[in-house]
Amino acid sequence: MRPLIGLVLENFSKISETFILNEILDLERQGLELHIFSLRCPSGQDTHTTMAQVCAPVTYLPSLLPKFDRDKERELINAQVGLFEQDSEAYFQILKLYLNRHKDQKYNEFLQGCCLAWKIQNLGITHLHAHFSSLPAATVEIAHAFAGVPYSIKVHTRDTYLSDQAIQEQIN
């Protein structure tokens, strides 16, 4: 069985991130099987003409931000219930650990991470790869805690040149 790699991006396909699109196309040319997970839905932005060449399916994870949506809330809650039913003790341990973070969007991150964990279990994802050490990395970390799937993180320039305040926010 070939590995199925889940690529986790903050906003697919963001026009300013051509390098990620090029990487996806190159990985597919090499024969890797991919599934793309985006934490944000595109907001009517322009897309690359090469987007049509991407074979990987794209899943936009539900979010309660920036605008509340009852259907998205229901999908996020269903993932919570599924993970809780799998292992309630692990669920509470991971939740407790994550709630100790000092970050404004930690609840939405946790919900999306749980949803990602639930989806990757059902899709047979064997590895997760996050682009950027911010929101995508935090989401992958939560999914890993629940699903046990190994992960990697690709750090980009904006990750390495953060202000002291931004670094502190990511640590917390």
Side-chain angles (χ1 to χ4, degrees), residues 51-157:
M51 272 295 298
Q53 296 174 25
V54 174
C55 297
V58 179
T59 297
Y60 293 96
L61 292 175
S63 174
L64 298 180
L65 302 173
K67 184 179 172 187
F68 179 80
D69 178 291
R70 194 150 316 276
D71 290 334
K72 291 177 182 178
E73 178 193 44
R74 188 174 300 111
E75 188 175 352
L76 290 166
I77 289 172
N78 287 340
Q80 302 295 306
V81 170
L83 291 172
F84 180 82
E85 288 176 344
Q86 279 182 352
D87 189 341
S88 60
E89 186 176 323
Y91 180 88
F92 281 123
Q93 287 176 349
I94 297 165
L95 176 62
K96 183 178 177 183
L97 177 69
Y98 205 74
L99 291 180
N100 286 328
R101 293 187 65 181
H102 302 289
K103 199 167 179 191
D104 290 341
Q105 297 177 354
K106 66 184 174 186
Y107 302 112
N108 194 63
E109 275 182 14
F110 184 76
L111 293 172
Q112 282 192 304
C114 290
C115 190
L116 178 61
W118 187 248
K119 287 182 180 297
I120 66 172
Q121 288 177 8
N122 293 321
L123 291 169
I125 302 289
T126 57
H127 184 89
L128 287 171
H129 179 72
H131 271 276
F132 296 104
S133 66
S134 54
L135 183 59
T139 307
V140 164
E141 181 183 40
I142 296 162
H144 163 76
F146 281 107
V149 173
Y151 68 95
S152 54
I153 301 168
K154 188 167 192 175
V155 178
H156 297 279
T157 304

Side-chain angles (χ1 to χ4, degrees), residues 13-75:
S13 103
K14 194 172 184 179
I15 195 90
S16 64
E17 296 176 353
T18 307
F19 57 95
I20 295 174
L21 178 59
N22 290 338
E23 181 179 311
I24 291 168
L25 293 171
D26 191 47
L27 291 171
E28 289 183 335
R29 275 191 290 275
Q30 293 178 44
L32 292 173
E33 191 173 345
L34 307 174
H35 190 114
I36 300 166
F37 296 94
S38 181
L39 303 176
R40 304 284 179 263
C41 290
S43 56
Q45 60 199 19
D46 292 332
T47 58
H48 298 279
T49 55
T50 53
M51 272 295 298
Q53 296 174 25
V54 174
C55 297
V58 179
T59 297
Y60 293 96
L61 292 175
S63 174
L64 298 180
L65 302 173
K67 184 179 172 187
F68 179 80
D69 178 291
R70 194 150 316 276
D71 290 334
K72 291 177 182 178
E73 178 193 44
R74 188 174 300 111
E75 188 175 352

